[in-house]
Amino acid sequence: MRDAWTWLKHGNRRWAAGTPGRAGQDVERRRQVARAQAPFAVVLSCVDSRVPPEVVFDAGLGDLLVVRTAAHTLDPLVRAAVQYGPHALGAPLVLVLGHQRCGAVTAAATALRERATLPGELPAVVAALAGAYESSGGDVAAMTRAHTAATVRELRDDPLLRGRATVLGAHYCLDTGLVSRVV
């Protein structure tokens, strides 16, 4: 796990510095991973178009198993996708990645503060973030970090992940491009 987190940190530093290596994104790598995959980490992150984990960590094909939902919320299907990495593919690290100025967190905070109901399936996101809203006093930045910590705790308690993978939480800063570990 330590090697996986170190690899992610180094890739992120390259990305933030504007010197990505883009290793593992060529025809040869595509051929290498065509028959089987062995990602070294699962990244559960937000669907935000500004936070693609493969780019943020300067990763190549087959390096990461990425699962994305609004504000990295969990439901049974998302949990199954996260479990798949360590259980079926041997990925030693699960990283929960929150980010600065998350639109889903902002929308949920506004809905909870105003006691408004969002359309469609969006109330499920609001419900998933209600605990973080309460513990943070509704501050979006604090709420994002609280939700990341809660998601890490939930995944660390998952019987299928326990003993198979280390679960960490991190935060991506849109302004700097840097990822910092928060849990």
Side-chain angles (χ1 to χ4, degrees):
M1 179 295 303
R2 180 172 298 219
D3 291 337
W5 174 241
T6 299
W7 194 97
L8 289 174
K9 284 191 309 187
H10 289 175
N12 175 247
R13 297 310 180 263
R14 288 190 305 274
W15 157 252
T19 58
R22 303 277 188 247
Q25 295 184 15
D26 55 16
V27 173
E28 181 57 32
R29 180 64 176 159
R30 186 182 73 228
R31 288 181 182 137
Q32 289 173 352
V33 299
R35 293 184 188 264
Q37 62 175 321
F40 65 83
V42 175
V43 180
L44 172 60
S45 69
C46 185
V47 296
D48 192 298
S49 64
R50 302 167 293 176
V51 190
E54 297 89 345
V55 174
V56 167
F57 293 112
D58 193 27
L61 293 172
D63 291 338
L64 303 176
L65 181 71
V66 176
V67 182
R68 297 177 74 177
T69 65
H72 64 268
T73 53
L74 286 172
D75 69 14
L77 290 174
V78 172
R79 181 184 296 274
V82 171
Q83 291 170 338
Y84 182 75
H87 182 71
L89 302 174
L93 175 65
V94 172
L95 182 69
V96 178
L97 183 63
H99 70 91
Q100 182 183 31
R101 291 190 291 274
C102 179
V105 173
T106 302
T110 301
L112 290 162
R113 183 173 37 261
E114 296 175 1
R115 292 178 166 61
T117 300
L118 297 179
E121 299 300 322
L122 294 174
V125 176
V126 174
L129 293 166
Y133 177 83
E134 293 300 322
S135 70
S136 69
D139 175 76
V140 171
M143 192 173 159
T144 299
R145 292 185 192 293
H147 179 59
T148 299
T151 304
V152 167
R153 282 191 302 275
E154 192 172 340
L155 291 173
R156 283 180 177 168
D157 288 342
D158 187 300
L160 200 55
L161 296 176
R162 197 175 310 118
R164 289 186 186 271
T166 300
V167 181
L168 302 177
H171 184 80
Y172 177 68
C173 178
L174 293 169
D175 294 334
T176 66
L178 291 171
V179 172
S180 57
R181 185 171 161 190
V182 295
V183 181

